[in-house]
Amino acid sequence: RGPQGTLYGATNIGGLFKYVTVLPNLQESSGRIEVDGDSVDHGGYGYILRGAYNGPLIQDQLGITASGYLRQDAGFINDTGAIDNLQTNQDLPSQNRKDINLAHLYGGRVSALWQISSDLSLRVSALYQYRHANGQDAEDIDGLTQQPTHGDLTQISSRFTGANTEKLQVYNASANWDLHWASFLSSTSYAV
């Protein structure tokens, strides 16, 4: 009940998490670059490269903010089992793959703000994210004892290898018009 239910729907029983992105700056430029790395005990290596820029293209009229990242999440699960051949229903030789839950990710976001007049502005943005993992980050466990069945951090592939790819695209256009006696906001989004 109250403003949360009114603005975002009455079915958000557990509450609301609102993420507000940085607006393009029409006066000053700023940027940053970040490089980081990590390693996992009994596993592989990971890294992340990030960069961002925010600033005007035309002073006080048109600004842009852009950010992007490239990341590898270290793997730590080993696959020592055979994968079933779905066509012949025969076992294939053991794979002995290491760090199968290693994941590659990249993405970015760009947003442009056009201050058409002191009372009217238009903002457009696009977001893209990609993630691919070669396997699941889970070990095989016994259902009764909850102990690993093939050793720590190990699984045996069966019909499903757990590999997956996820992509997300979100596009938005927002117009904000100050009528002095009221404000008009129009926001349209499209997600794939």
Side-chain angles (χ1 to χ4, degrees):
R1 301 286 178 247
Q4 176 178 296
T6 303
L7 292 173
Y8 301 102
T11 59
N12 56 353
I13 295 171
L16 171 73
F17 180 75
K18 184 175 180 179
Y19 182 80
V20 180
T21 57
V22 174
L23 287 174
N25 194 319
L26 300 178
Q27 283 85 34
E28 298 176 2
S29 295
S30 64
R32 72 175 196 194
I33 294 176
E34 179 182 338
V35 178
D36 198 0
D38 61 67
S39 65
V40 176
D41 239 6
H42 308 290
Y45 297 94
Y47 61 83
I48 186 163
L49 307 170
R50 288 186 194 145
Y53 170 79
N54 190 355
L57 296 176
I58 301 173
Q59 193 73 21
D60 298 323
Q61 290 183 358
L62 182 63
I64 189 169
T65 181
S67 61
Y69 68 93
L70 175 65
R71 187 174 100 198
Q72 176 177 294
D73 290 343
F76 53 88
I77 298 292
N78 298 320
D79 179 357
T80 60
I83 299 176
D84 292 338
N85 186 323
L86 296 177
Q87 281 77 28
T88 64
N89 206 19
Q90 297 174 350
D91 285 343
L92 296 175
S94 178
Q95 297 291 307
N96 289 324
R97 298 182 302 155
K98 291 184 62 62
D99 305 333
I100 64 167
N101 62 319
L102 176 118
H104 296 279
L105 304 93
Y106 62 84
R109 181 179 177 277
V110 63
S111 178
L113 175 63
W114 180 22
Q115 191 69 46
I116 301 167
S117 71
S118 60
D119 298 330
L120 180 63
S121 65
L122 175 67
R123 183 170 56 132
V124 294
S125 64
L127 171 109
Y128 180 80
Q129 292 180 338
Y130 172 90
R131 179 186 186 273
H132 177 79
N134 293 325
Q136 297 179 0
D137 51 350
E139 60 186 3
D140 293 338
I141 60 169
D142 183 287
L144 294 175
T145 65
Q146 298 296 305
Q147 297 299 312
T149 55
H150 309 292
D152 286 339
L153 306 176
T154 303
Q155 63 178 241
I156 293 180
S157 296
S158 57
R159 296 187 183 274
F160 304 104
T161 63
N164 64 53
T165 299
E166 301 168 5
K167 295 179 185 177
L168 173 67
Q169 300 174 55
V170 180
Y171 305 96
N172 177 264
S174 300
N176 201 338
W177 189 12
D178 184 0
L179 301 170
H180 300 287
W181 54 273
S183 292
F184 174 77
L185 171 66
S186 172
S187 181
T188 303
S189 295
Y190 176 73
V192 180

